[in-house]
Amino acid sequence: MKTMKKLLAAVLATAMLLGVTACGNKNDTPAADGDNTGTTSTTVLKMGHVYSETYPMHLAMLAMADEVYEKTEGRYKIEIYANSSLGNESDLNEGVNIGTVDMAFTATTPLANIVPDLACLDLPYLIQDSAHADAVFFDKSSPIRASLINSIDSAGFKTLALVENGFRQLYTNKKVASTADLKGLKMRTNGMKTIDMTFQAMGATTTTIPYSDPYMGLKTGVADGQENPWVNVEGMKFYEVQKYFTEVNYQFHPDPFYVNAAWWNGLPEEYRDIITECATKMGEYNDELIDKNSSAAKQTIVDSGCEVYEPSADELKAFQTAVQSVYDQCVTEGICTA
């Protein structure tokens, strides 16, 4: 907890300063230097995520897979499994951790089940704006970024990239202009306690539904709404079943791309260097796509006939004030330290 205590304090301080193993084919090992058989064995690496095939992370991973295959001369082939086909985010976390999945993208939120300190990063309005997010998570010289990656890697992972996923918004079956409008609504969450606390502080109740299932849950009334970045909403077509959106920017989750540490440590250095380089470029490409596609996704949602409400500064301040109790609750329950 001491490490995350320092990390949380640093995140808040940064806001003020800104003004705001593996399960691949184990027998298919790379051919040794000087192998005169004339053949190249290929190790297949399974990479999983919960997003659609049109999502920026998927497109960026396709580019990375091609580059890894080319630069390793066919020795490593990354097979990408989208749409939760290898399981939900918690399943992917566990799979990479124990070595039944080679690589994964997930938010830091479900990783908190394995690395409890990460729960503090889901406190509402911890990240103030894009400049703050860049300084905290994506500046390679950021000590906060380094502490975050060290926390993840201490649990048996090797983090190869932190990527952007955008600020998270609300969408519901009625217009929400204030926390009073959330009272009585049942909001879908991924089950993370800090997110449940946030909605409960705003007067809503919560229900846990895996990321692959909210479409039908929202359509059938199992939930009255949920929260996600614009690109997630557009990619999963959630706007087809919920017509009211509120741009509250209440959370920002960096998504780590990581592999099993034991497998990574056994990889020849030349291939670690290649995969690291490709992962860095993948992260940069993802972030470009997120920045480009967020506005386009929001426009798609508007064009579909949905209503997007943008709170005034005073209204947004009221949202922020309503959830301040979550910070005290997290300290009281030992989720975060004071």
Side-chain angles (χ1 to χ4, degrees), residues 150-169:
N150 287 340
S151 292
I152 296 172
D153 290 356
S154 67
F157 300 103
K158 172 61 181 179
T159 305
L160 299 181
L162 277 183
V163 304
E164 185 175 348
N165 196 19
F167 281 90
R168 304 179 78 86
Q169 320 301 343

Side-chain angles (χ1 to χ4, degrees), residues 10-11 14-15 18 127 131-139 142-146:
V11 171
T14 303
L18 290 172
I127 300 299
H132 188 203
D134 288 344
V136 169
F137 297 124
F138 305 121
D139 183 341
S142 167
I144 305 169
R145 172 191 172 92

